[in-house]
Structures are given as structure tokens and as C-alpha cells.
Amino acid sequence: MRAFFEGIQWLFENIFFWPLDQLRALELSCWSGANLINWIFMAICSYATWYWCKQLVAHKKSGEDFQDTTAHSFLTK
């Protein structure tokens, strides 16, 4: 059973975390290069948030957005 868990440890340390080890080594020589992926993710999330808000406004203006504040019929009594 111990060999099974050591195999899982080897898999994660040597295979799955290899890209993160490379980023950690890159950070020592080039901080901006190591953080480039963070900036890319922030740009993608910012664009997605902007697009989502734009679509919400468009649906509200067209009248497609129907909001019923009562979740169940017994709440209206």
C-alpha cells in the first residue's frame, strides 16, 4: 500500500507539477515572464466581465429580461 501512495507522490511531483517548477525557476531570472500568464488570465476575465455586463444591458433594454421576485406561489399571500 505504501508503494501506491509513493507512486501518486511521484506522479504529482515529477509530472503534474513540472510546469509550476519551470515557472518558479523562470521567476528568478525574469519576473515579468513568469507572471505573463497571470496578466493573460486577468485580461480574459476582464473582457468576459465586460461582455457579460454588455449583454445584460442589451437584454434589459429589449424587454427579454423578466424578473419575478417571488420564488414560490405561497410567498405572494
Side-chain angles (χ1 to χ4, degrees), residues 23-62:
L23 280 175
R24 183 175 48 195
L26 179 64
E27 182 183 14
L28 297 175
S29 62
C30 179
W31 177 86
S32 59
N35 287 305
L36 180 64
I37 192 165
N38 293 330
W39 289 103
I40 291 170
F41 285 143
M42 286 193 309
I44 291 170
C45 290
S46 296
Y47 175 76
T49 302
W50 171 80
Y51 183 77
W52 180 34
C53 291
K54 184 179 130 185
Q55 291 298 316
L56 286 174
V57 169
H59 283 287
K60 192 164 187 95
K61 284 183 181 177
S62 68

